């Protein structure tokens, strides 16, 4: 063996470095997939709530209560749920990048797919009254 090999082996013994087992990587990968799906589910619930709030927003009487349509929308928009939806989609996209092979996909494609999946789940949740 050459000198470099001896130095590396000595450093491994000195620092007591051991290989990480395969099951640890598999467990991490499954946990990241679970977190990704969980945040997609929460994003679906948030989009269902937004759909419910938009549909039941007294659209027929806004001209009696507010000075104009823009003021009505500005004052009654579900900002919390829209921000929550955006945050959940960012976290889902962040987790997807760390899943095995997730780095291969373009971040915009992953974000767009996450948003579309959450909106589709939100439509299903809203249809079945889970908002």
């Amino acid at each position: 063996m050459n000198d470099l090999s001896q130095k590396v082996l000595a450093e491994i013994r000195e620092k007591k470095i051991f290989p990480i087992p395969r099951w640890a990587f598999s467990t991490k990968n499954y946990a990241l997939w679970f977190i990704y799906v969980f945040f997609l589910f929460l994003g679906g619930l948030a989009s269902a709530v937004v759909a419910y709030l938009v549909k039941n927003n007294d659209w027929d009487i806004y001209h009696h209560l507010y000075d104009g349509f823009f003021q009505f929308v500005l004052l009654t928009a579900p900002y919390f749920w829209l921000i929550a939806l955006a945050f959940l989609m960012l976290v889902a996209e962040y987790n997807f990048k760390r899943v095995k092979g997730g780095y291969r996909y373009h971040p915009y494609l992953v974000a767009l797919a996450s948003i579309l999946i959450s909106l589709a789940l939100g439509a299903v949740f809203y249809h079945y009254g889970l908002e």
Side-chain angles (χ1 to χ4, degrees):
M1 271 195 245
N2 62 18
D3 192 40
L4 179 62
S5 299
Q6 292 297 333
K7 286 181 184 179
V8 170
L9 285 173
E11 190 171 337
I12 288 173
R13 287 187 192 116
E14 179 184 314
K15 292 184 179 181
K16 298 180 182 173
I17 298 173
F18 296 101
I20 299 172
R22 184 181 184 101
W23 64 265
F25 291 106
S26 296
T27 304
K28 178 186 172 193
N29 194 40
Y30 290 133
L32 287 173
W33 271 112
F34 176 77
I35 291 169
Y36 176 71
V37 171
F38 179 71
F39 277 106
L40 284 179
F41 180 78
L42 288 179
L45 287 176
S47 61
V49 169
V50 168
Y52 176 80
L53 292 173
V54 168
K55 184 174 188 255
N56 299 311
N57 200 8
D58 294 331
W59 294 99
D60 51 345
I61 63 168
Y62 79 87
H63 56 278
H64 296 295
L65 301 173
Y66 300 97
D67 291 333
F69 181 74
F70 181 72
Q71 182 185 18
F72 171 70
V73 170
L74 193 63
L75 292 175
T76 61
Y79 294 112
F80 171 76
W81 292 105
L82 292 171
I83 292 169
L85 178 62
F87 174 73
L88 292 169
M89 291 305 91
L90 287 174
V91 172
E93 193 268 333
Y94 177 81
N95 279 330
F96 186 81
K97 286 192 303 191
R98 274 128 188 92
V99 170
K100 181 180 178 182
Y103 65 89
R104 295 179 187 155
Y105 300 99
H106 199 280
Y108 294 127
L109 179 65
V110 174
L112 180 65
S114 298
I115 289 169
L116 291 176
I117 291 169
S118 287
L119 291 176
L121 282 173
V124 170
F125 293 157
Y126 179 76
H127 178 72
Y128 288 109
L130 295 174
E131 69 278 337

